[in-house]
Amino acid sequence: GKLDHEIARALEVGVGCFNVESKPELEHISQIASQLGKTASIAIRVNPNIDAGTHPYISTGLKENKFGVDISEAPLLYDLAAKLPHIKVIGIACHIGSQLTELQPFLDAFEKVHDLFLSLNTRGFHLTRMDCGGGLGVRYLEENPPSPAEYVTELLKRLSDDSVHLILEPGRAIAANAGILVTQVIYLKEALHKNFAIVDAAMNDLLRPALYQAEQDIVPVVDDDTSALQAYDVVGPVCETGDFLGKARLLAIKPKDFLAVRTAGAYGFTMSSNYNSRPRAAEILVDGSTVHVIRERETIETLFAGEKLIGAIAPN
């Protein structure tokens, strides 16, 4: 879904490569590049129809997903790209999903895409770039994902040519465990069938549990030896049943205690919102013993700063 002004800006600053998702997008990039007198370097994002074994919302490499071009149809799109003006074909790309905890789906996709890479070069395309996307998982609770080193080692065993520019996008693997969400217990509510820990963070702050049924470790910031260990659903103040950070968590806590939701550095703040008119939290960077506020806490004033009142409504 690349917009005209985004394509134009990318061309103006000399973007390294466009990963093209469809025939109309390819033709559109060619048109804009021609208007600007620029050459657009492109890779076709192919869909290898590999089941990543992850949540369906973050699976991106199956034939029913919206992403990329079916790998069987990709050669025709490469043929078209070679004929379009102001287009330079330099590579191939794929991305099969996020939070993968096993290597095999990555390797199955790589082998399919690598075979196509070799086939296209045999036909004279001279591709130099393979973008294998991201998706390498992290440990949230009990997962045991491969390390980046294990992944790269297996890819290099399968790479045909050391001169290929191999690109990986391991965003979650870099960022996830660099961040936590700190929240304070407001109330402990005992219901007939379960206990609730009502906290001041909510689904607008961390959407993953509600959106993906994701589970992230939740621990007290300071261990409390005076409270009994009990199972709690950790829930927020938003008016949705889906507003929870964790369910059936064994915690020894009391009101005003602070909890840390671990592994919140990826798909945490970036997916946060102002739903229910809730200002977003501050972001704090901890560097050894030094603490920096790197994003100020939002206020009601900043929340409504962009809104305008257009006169008063006259009474009947």
Side-chain angles (χ1 to χ4, degrees):
K2 302 174 185 65
L3 301 175
D4 288 6
H5 71 89
E6 294 171 335
I7 296 169
R9 179 61 177 161
L11 288 166
E12 288 167 1
V13 300
V15 68
C17 184
F18 290 91
N19 284 354
V20 175
E21 302 261 1
S22 67
K23 178 175 180 285
E25 183 180 90
L26 174 63
E27 293 170 334
H28 204 56
I29 291 172
S30 172
Q31 180 184 8
I32 294 174
S34 299
Q35 292 168 353
L36 296 177
K38 302 281 187 178
T39 297
S41 295
I42 67 104
I44 304 296
R45 176 174 173 175
V46 300
N47 187 325
N49 195 31
I50 297 292
D51 186 355
T54 189
H55 190 281
Y57 287 4
I58 49 177
S59 172
T60 60
L62 291 170
K63 60 186 178 183
E64 61 261 30
N65 298 141
K66 68 177 183 177
F67 302 99
V69 178
D70 190 286
I71 196 166
S72 65
E73 298 177 352
L76 293 176
L77 198 56
Y78 275 98
D79 289 339
L80 173 62
K83 298 173 184 175
L84 287 173
H86 293 263
I87 292 291
K88 181 181 179 182
V89 182
I90 66 169
I92 191 167
C94 79
H95 175 69
I96 61 170
S98 190
Q99 184 53 15
L100 275 68
T101 56
E102 296 182 357
L103 277 181
Q104 200 56 50
F106 284 124
L107 301 180
D108 291 345
F110 179 86
E111 289 172 0
K112 278 191 169 186
V113 174
H114 189 236
D115 285 348
L116 179 57
F117 179 90
L118 296 175
S119 172
L120 290 166
N121 277 350
T122 300
R123 294 175 51 202
F125 276 93
H126 307 295
L127 304 184
T128 59
R129 174 187 179 109
M130 281 191 66
D131 186 340
C132 295
L136 188 62
V138 298
R139 182 183 177 91
Y140 286 102
L141 283 177
E142 302 299 328
E143 304 91 339
N144 187 28
S147 70
E150 291 171 319
Y151 178 30
V152 171
T153 297
E154 291 301 319
L155 289 186
L156 293 178
K157 288 179 183 178
R158 292 161 172 78
L159 197 62
S160 62
D161 186 343
D162 289 344
S163 67
V164 175
H165 184 190
L166 185 64
I167 296 173
L168 303 174
E169 305 172 29
R172 186 196 303 263
I174 293 171
N177 283 308
I180 60 172
L181 170 65
V182 178
T183 184
Q184 189 173 30
V185 178
I186 307 172
Y187 306 113
L188 296 180
K189 176 180 177 179
E190 295 184 8
L192 288 176
H193 303 293
K194 62 172 57 182
N195 299 316
F196 296 95
I198 302 168
V199 299
D200 63 356
M203 64 186 294
N204 74 292
D205 300 299
L206 185 66
L207 187 60
R208 294 188 70 253
L211 184 62
Y212 303 134
Q213 296 79 53
E215 294 186 316
Q216 294 175 228
D217 198 12
I218 302 175
V219 298
V221 170
V222 177
D223 287 332
D224 181 359
D225 296 330
T226 64
S227 300
L229 194 67
Q230 295 191 65
Y232 293 96
D233 282 8
V234 181
V235 300
V238 165
C239 56
E240 298 274 357
T241 303
D243 178 27
F244 62 90
L245 301 179
K247 294 192 173 184
R249 301 306 178 87
L250 287 174
L251 297 166
I253 52 176
K254 61 182 180 300
K256 298 189 182 302
D257 282 355
F258 289 95
L259 300 176
V261 184
R262 288 177 165 169
T263 320
Y267 307 103
F269 197 98
T270 54
M271 293 178 72
S272 64
S273 74
N274 295 122
Y275 182 48
N276 267 199
S277 295
R278 287 173 50 84
R280 279 175 284 201
E283 282 191 294
I284 307 297
L285 175 68
V286 179
D287 182 9
S289 61
T290 305
V291 176
H292 306 273
V293 179
I294 57 173
R295 187 189 295 264
E296 295 285 346
R297 185 181 305 279
E298 288 183 340
T299 64
I300 294 296
E301 289 74 24
T302 58
L303 187 62
F304 297 113
E307 299 189 15
K308 295 182 179 180
L309 184 63
I310 311 297
I313 299 176
N316 292 329

